Amino acid sequence: MKEEFIKGCLQNGFSQDKAEEVFGLIEKFADYGFNKSHSVAYSYVAYQLAYLKANYPLYFFASILSNELSSENTKVHCIQECKAYHLKILPPSVNHSHARFMVENGQIRYSLLAIKNVGYAGYKAIIEERQKGMFKDIYDFMMRMEHSHLSKKMLESLVDAGALDEFDMSRQTILKNLDAIRDYGHLKENLGIEEKPVLTIYKDNQEEKLMREKAVLGVYLSMHPLELKKQKINVAYVDVSRLDEYVQKTVNVVIQLQRVKNITDRKGQEMCFIEAMDETGSLDGVVFASRYKNIGMMLKKGNICLVQGKVDMKDKLSLIVDKARVIE
């Protein structure tokens, strides 16, 4: 279009230099700009989504989560948003979950297909069997699913996700006795043997349980590890989601470090920027050199820390870190 544009400019009385200058601006803008019809379409969709989120948040979030089954970042963000709207996400369940996240009694039920290692064939087998009647207990489930040949990996993922929690047996008890329970299902289905195996009972280690849950769901659903850590401290703290109420005030927060970026300031001293989160939201922070030399060794990715700092608001909310200690 350049030749045609410049020709039109000249015909309308503009100079060659001015025509080329203006076209240069248009060409540069084309790297990131888009036309009015595109803008209108985007804003129309944004308006519709905002309306649905404001008026039908349950169905809005259930739909967003269903459309992003494999995106861990989107699930984490949406579940944090759900908490801000006081909406509860129910755990996955072999008796109640579906392929999509579904609204159930004013809450959102987690999808079975959003569990790692649960494929469509396995999901369909569970749904078809469930239509004949709810699964009564872990033995009933294993017996009735015997013919479907669900893999051990899929069964372990269902356990770790909490999809069998309703059977009132700890996850570790099911995992440690999984072979015995599967053998019983096979024998009862094929030979009619009624005598259930004697199981060794195990207690769940809460931190391990949460880590295994996150591995198959992509999120901490039943509880965030930070909540366990918070039970071990006797200092008043503020949730990250409420920091906007404390601008220019000094607060304590309990956070898990997601990223630590070390840099050298103008004086040649080391400082760092941090990205962190708790179970309510995310936070950016800065540790200036005067403080970094005392607490820098504690600021490692993955560490859960009790941090004291001043809440700052310029372009966005941030924390100017003053003190920090790792919560063991």
Side-chain angles (χ1 to χ4, degrees):
M1 295 292 294
K2 184 175 183 178
E3 186 177 340
E4 185 179 342
F5 177 83
I6 291 175
K7 183 179 178 182
C9 289
L10 295 174
Q11 289 174 351
N12 283 293
F14 294 96
S15 68
Q16 178 82 20
D17 288 345
K18 180 58 69 177
E20 290 186 357
E21 179 188 347
V22 172
F23 188 83
L25 293 172
I26 294 171
E27 194 172 31
K28 185 177 180 181
F29 175 76
D31 286 342
Y32 64 89
F34 42 75
N35 59 33
K36 183 178 179 180
S37 64
H38 199 101
S39 304
V40 170
Y42 258 117
S43 23
Y44 187 62
V45 171
Y47 178 86
Q48 289 178 317
L49 289 174
Y51 177 84
L52 292 170
K53 184 178 180 183
N55 292 280
Y56 305 96
L58 272 171
Y59 295 92
F60 173 83
F61 285 114
S63 296
I64 295 292
L65 287 164
S66 296
N67 293 337
E68 300 287 347
L69 289 179
S70 60
S71 173
E72 290 187 9
N73 289 336
T74 300
K75 280 193 287 190
V76 170
H77 177 71
C78 278
I79 288 173
Q80 284 179 346
E81 280 278 283
C82 284
K83 288 180 180 178
Y85 276 71
H86 305 292
L87 305 178
K88 185 175 180 180
I89 307 290
L90 297 171
S93 160
V94 292
N95 273 328
H96 301 288
S97 290
H98 296 269
R100 294 176 65 82
F101 286 77
M102 302 293 287
V103 175
E104 180 184 314
N105 299 324
Q107 300 166 317
I108 299 173
R109 176 69 71 177
Y110 208 94
S111 157
L112 278 181
L113 281 180
I115 301 172
K116 187 178 180 181
N117 301 319
V118 177
Y120 185 76
Y123 158 77
K124 189 176 179 183
I126 292 172
I127 296 300
E128 288 177 352
E129 188 60 41
R130 189 172 81 192
Q131 289 171 348
K132 302 173 187 176
M134 293 290 192
F135 300 109
K136 298 174 184 177
D137 55 31
I138 186 66
Y139 302 105
D140 184 50
F141 175 77
M142 291 297 181
M143 182 196 72
R144 290 167 59 186
M145 297 310 301
E146 162 67 16
H147 66 279
S148 300
H149 303 293
L150 300 184
S151 71
K152 186 175 182 180
K153 197 173 189 69
M154 176 176 166
L155 291 170
E156 288 173 342
S157 291
L158 287 170
V159 175
D160 288 336
L164 304 179
D165 282 359
E166 61 211 82
F167 297 145
D168 294 326
M169 197 175 284
S170 74
R171 296 181 190 179
Q172 275 301 302
T173 296
I174 298 176
L175 289 171
K176 298 283 190 182
N177 294 279
L178 190 56
D179 289 336
I181 299 171
R182 293 183 78 188
D183 288 344
Y184 166 79
H186 174 76
L187 292 171
K188 183 171 182 181
E189 174 70 5
N190 294 284
L191 300 176
I193 293 176
E194 293 288 343
E195 187 175 351
K196 295 176 181 177
V198 177
L199 305 183
T200 304
I201 305 302
Y202 295 88
K203 187 177 180 180
D204 287 329
N205 175 286
Q206 199 66 12
E207 290 191 24
E208 181 187 354
K209 173 183 171 181
L210 293 175
M211 294 304 292
R212 292 178 68 96
E213 183 179 291
K214 186 178 187 298
V216 294
L217 295 182
V219 295
Y220 296 110
L221 189 62
S222 57
M223 177 190 281
H224 196 285
L226 280 168
E227 294 178 58
L228 291 176
K229 299 292 185 181
K230 286 177 176 179
Q231 295 170 7
K232 299 178 180 180
I233 63 173
N234 56 1
V235 177
Y237 57 83
V238 176
D239 289 337
V240 167
S241 62
R242 295 185 54 217
L243 287 180
D244 58 347
E245 303 171 23
Y246 295 86
V247 175
Q248 296 305 309
K249 294 181 180 179
T250 298
V251 298
N252 294 312
V253 292
V254 181
I255 50 178
Q256 183 172 38
L257 299 172
Q258 305 296 304
R259 185 168 181 258
V260 180
K261 182 181 179 182
N262 296 311
I263 65 168
T264 303
D265 66 14
R266 294 176 182 176
K267 297 180 180 179
Q269 296 179 313
E270 196 170 10
M271 59 175 287
C272 75
F273 294 99
I274 62 170
E275 294 175 14
M277 65 177 290
D278 69 1
E279 70 275 23
T280 69
S282 301
L283 170 71
D284 290 337
V286 58
V287 185
F288 291 115
S290 58
R291 300 301 180 191
Y292 183 84
K293 60 186 178 183
N294 295 324
I295 63 175
M297 73 290 296
M298 302 178 199
L299 303 176
K300 307 294 181 185
K301 180 180 177 181
N303 279 359
I304 294 177
C305 298
L306 173 64
V307 171
Q308 184 181 93
K310 184 178 179 182
V311 182
D312 189 41
M313 174 67 86
K314 289 181 181 175
D315 295 331
K316 62 179 181 179
L317 201 70
S318 64
L319 189 71
I320 302 173
V321 178
D322 184 43
K323 300 177 182 177
R325 68 177 174 88
V326 176
I327 302 175
E328 298 296 344

